[in-house]
Every structure is written in C-alpha cells, then in structure tokens.
Amino acid sequence: MAVGDDNARAQRLYERLGYRTTGIFDVTEYDWTADDGTLHHARESDQLLLKQLRIDDVSERG
C-alpha cells in the first residue's frame, strides 16, 4: 500500500488498520492531458506501507 506524503489523515487511517510505515519512499512522475487539451505534468511522492497478514486471514478468503 502507498500513501501520499501530503496525506497524513489517510496514513493515520491505514495505521489504525494495521499497516506500518517502511521508511521506503517512491516518486512517480507522469504527464496527462486535460479535457481542454492542456498538457500537465504531475509528480507524486508516496511512502510505502506494509501490513503483516496472519495465515488464517489468508485462508479465510479461499
């Protein structure tokens, strides 16, 4: 799971759900075109989160 560096509320939610920060950060850059034809460039920085699953959590899902 990844959460944006600028989204502290989402990070707190994921941590309450059992995810833990890894200290690993990822930067993604991409271009996109708006409906009016304007070209935009975006850069997103995310922190990767992990959640340890128990074996019975996985086996219940089949």
Side-chain angles (χ1 to χ4, degrees), residues 18-59:
Y19 289 87
R20 297 292 168 246
T21 59
T22 63
I24 299 170
F25 295 86
D26 181 54
V27 176
T28 303
E29 294 192 50
Y30 57 92
D31 296 322
W32 60 279
T33 305
D35 291 338
D36 66 2
T38 307
L39 181 63
H40 297 270
H41 182 78
R43 183 175 195 265
E44 298 178 358
S45 180
D46 304 309
Q47 180 169 192
L48 301 179
L49 306 175
L50 291 177
K51 181 175 181 177
Q52 185 170 354
L53 299 177
R54 299 183 324 244
I55 296 297
D56 56 330
D57 288 342
V58 176
S59 62

Side-chain angles (χ1 to χ4, degrees), residues 6-20:
D6 59 349
N7 198 343
R9 289 180 64 196
Q11 183 172 339
R12 285 192 301 273
L13 169 64
Y14 296 139
E15 288 173 347
R16 283 195 305 271
L17 294 173
Y19 289 87
R20 297 292 168 246

